[in-house]
Amino acid sequence: MGCREQKRMSLRRKLHILRTNINSNSARRSFITKSTLLQIYRLKIMLETIKREYDNLIAARREYQNLLRHVQEHKNVKVEKVAEGTFAMKVTCEKGGDKLVAILEAFEEKGLNVEQARVSCNEGFSMEAIVVAEDQAVDTRNVAETLLRAIGKQIGENN
């Protein structure tokens, strides 16, 4: 007899817990179980929605990171003519490799002498320099092409 009453009390406690969790005032077992199943179904749908949103956020993050990589891989070369045969140049590109060596070798091949230079490798490779051409026929486009070729050659060697 005591075992039945313990089972009944246990069942009542469980039903009471379910009733409070689903905010129901009904005492009928069938209504409580239906409401509980409905609540479980709602939670399952909410979980699927959250998973879908999470997957969308992960995809957006991946796309954002790819865009950042493209921005970081972007090569920026600016060359200005200061005086006849003298150019001020600024190069910015991604970090890695011996870019400085490649640029200086390209300058040497082209007949350009570096008078003053400032190089930084903090967030990427950047170089500001004043170069003087031995040949007066060199223009800004030739210097820019030389820089881009030197940087491109360096990137090709790394890959």
Side-chain angles (χ1 to χ4, degrees), residues 87-89 113-119 127-132:
F87 302 96
M89 50 140 279
N113 297 322
V114 179
E115 273 191 7
Q116 182 180 1
R118 184 181 324 157
V119 179
M127 177 180 179
E128 295 177 13
I130 297 175
V131 293
V132 177

Side-chain angles (χ1 to χ4, degrees), residues 5-6 8 20 28 35 51 65 68 96 110-113 129 135-136 156:
E5 294 213 11
Q6 284 179 347
R8 245 188 227 160
T20 56
R28 290 181 29 208
S35 296
K51 281 183 180 178
Q65 287 175 339
L68 280 178
K110 197 71 173 172
L112 299 168
N113 297 322
D135 182 16
Q136 299 297 326

Side-chain angles (χ1 to χ4, degrees), residues 63-119:
E63 190 174 322
Y64 178 72
Q65 287 175 339
N66 285 338
L67 287 173
L68 280 178
R69 272 191 225 112
H70 283 327
V71 168
Q72 290 174 350
E73 290 176 2
H74 183 68
K75 297 175 255 178
N76 190 7
V77 175
K78 292 181 185 176
V79 179
E80 296 177 7
K81 192 170 193 174
V82 178
E84 191 64 36
T86 305
F87 302 96
M89 50 140 279
K90 190 174 197 177
V91 178
T92 314
C93 60
E94 73 275 359
K95 224 182 206 183
D98 295 329
K99 290 184 180 41
L100 180 61
V101 174
I103 289 171
L104 293 177
E105 286 175 352
F107 281 166
E108 188 176 323
E109 289 172 8
K110 197 71 173 172
L112 299 168
N113 297 322
V114 179
E115 273 191 7
Q116 182 180 1
R118 184 181 324 157
V119 179

Side-chain angles (χ1 to χ4, degrees), residues 72 92-96 120-126:
Q72 290 174 350
T92 314
C93 60
E94 73 275 359
K95 224 182 206 183
S120 172
C121 291
N122 289 339
E123 296 176 18
F125 177 81
S126 64

